[in-house]
Amino acid sequence: MADKKKAPKEGKRLAAARKGVDSRKQYALAEAVKMVKERAKAKFDETIEVAMNLGVDPRHADQMVRGVVNLPNGTGKTLRVAVFAKGAKADEAKKAGADIVGEQDLFDTVNGGKIDFDRLIATPDMMGLVGRLGKVLGPRGLMPNPKVGTVTMDVTKAVKDAKGGAVEFRAEKAGIIHAGVGKASFTEAALVENIRALFDSVMKAKPSAAKGNYLKKMAISSTQGPGVIIEPSTVMGA
């Protein structure tokens, strides 16, 4: 009889980080942030991420939750922004700080599999071309969408928002939203403020078709740290 495979042992660092964290307890927002920051011991500046389990079924169009939030203290990450635009709008995008601006040339690059950007913006007149990249951009969550401000004539605002801390969120198949809200090096106050901004935006994005408990669970973690459950009422108490 073949030996049963043993579950991989938890690393000493993560095991140590889990000490003092009750996986069944809900913590006040400020306390949860403090706990996560204290346990972010990696050699790099870990990303702080929030996970929100929503009572929706995104497979139904009328229950999809998506949007964008401008985090008051930024994300701590510099995004590379690409823009599909032509003429004066292309010049405007470059002036606003876009890293890549193009038309057919950008289409050919992306269609060839080279994606050297984190956020894609397009003017409405370019969407006929961009739409043909759906199979490439869709799975990566990069397809521009007017609902999150990435299909717009105001490319200056879109580029500056992306560079300044705008975060897109979208409920995945299981109804869970994952979003980075800063870095472990941020102050506790800055992270709390960013989390409340995300929370408010997700609450406002609640679809009318959503029934019952909209927010089932909310947790925070660092890249290599344990998750800490947040008591929702302490987030609303801003």
Side-chain angles (χ1 to χ4, degrees):
M1 185 175 178
D3 293 336
K4 291 183 178 179
K5 289 185 179 180
K6 293 182 179 180
K9 288 185 178 180
E10 185 173 73
K12 290 182 179 180
R13 191 194 62 78
L14 182 55
R18 289 190 189 281
K19 289 183 179 179
V21 178
D22 186 337
S23 61
R24 296 164 296 181
K25 179 181 177 181
Q26 292 187 337
Y27 294 86
L29 175 59
E31 184 180 4
V33 168
K34 182 179 180 180
M35 293 171 70
V36 168
K37 270 180 59 68
E38 289 175 345
R39 289 163 173 76
K41 301 294 186 181
K43 293 180 180 179
F44 60 93
D45 195 5
E46 296 184 51
T47 294
I48 304 300
E49 185 177 87
V50 167
M52 301 175 72
N53 189 347
L54 306 178
V56 298
D57 185 349
R59 292 176 298 179
H60 299 288
D62 60 355
Q63 291 188 49
M64 170 53 70
V65 178
R66 72 178 303 172
V68 64
V69 55
N70 286 304
L71 299 180
N73 300 295
T75 63
K77 178 182 178 182
T78 301
L79 297 184
R80 283 184 58 79
V81 179
V83 179
F84 270 98
K86 57 186 177 181
K89 286 298 173 181
D91 294 336
E92 184 182 329
K94 292 174 184 176
K95 187 176 180 180
D99 299 280
I100 305 168
V101 180
E103 302 175 53
Q104 185 65 47
D105 55 337
L106 180 53
F107 173 91
D108 293 339
T109 298
V110 175
N111 198 41
K114 184 179 180 182
I115 298 179
D116 190 23
F117 51 84
D118 307 295
R119 184 72 51 82
L120 181 60
I121 295 163
T123 52
D125 59 313
M126 297 299 294
M127 285 308 293
L129 183 64
V130 178
R132 289 159 52 194
L133 294 169
K135 290 183 179 179
V136 180
L137 299 172
R140 294 173 173 82
L142 290 171
M143 178 61 75
N145 189 298
K147 291 183 178 180
V148 295
T150 47
V151 176
T152 176
M153 288 301 287
D154 192 350
V155 292
T156 295
K157 182 179 185 301
V159 170
K160 289 186 175 179
D161 281 351
K163 289 283 189 177
V167 172
E168 290 184 32
F169 59 83
R170 177 174 181 168
E172 299 167 1
K173 287 183 179 180
I176 299 174
I177 284 175
H178 292 279
V181 292
K183 295 289 185 176
S185 59
F186 281 25
T187 65
E188 291 174 23
L191 288 169
V192 166
E193 195 174 4
N194 279 359
I195 292 169
R196 283 188 165 138
L198 171 66
F199 178 87
D200 288 344
S201 293
V202 173
M203 291 301 106
K204 289 175 182 175
K206 178 181 179 180
S208 57
K211 305 298 181 184
N213 188 13
Y214 179 51
L215 177 60
K216 292 184 174 181
K217 184 179 178 182
M218 183 173 180
I220 180 176
S221 64
S222 64
T223 305
Q224 295 187 358
V228 179
I229 302 174
I230 297 172
E231 166 52 56
S233 66
T234 65
V235 186
M236 294 183 280

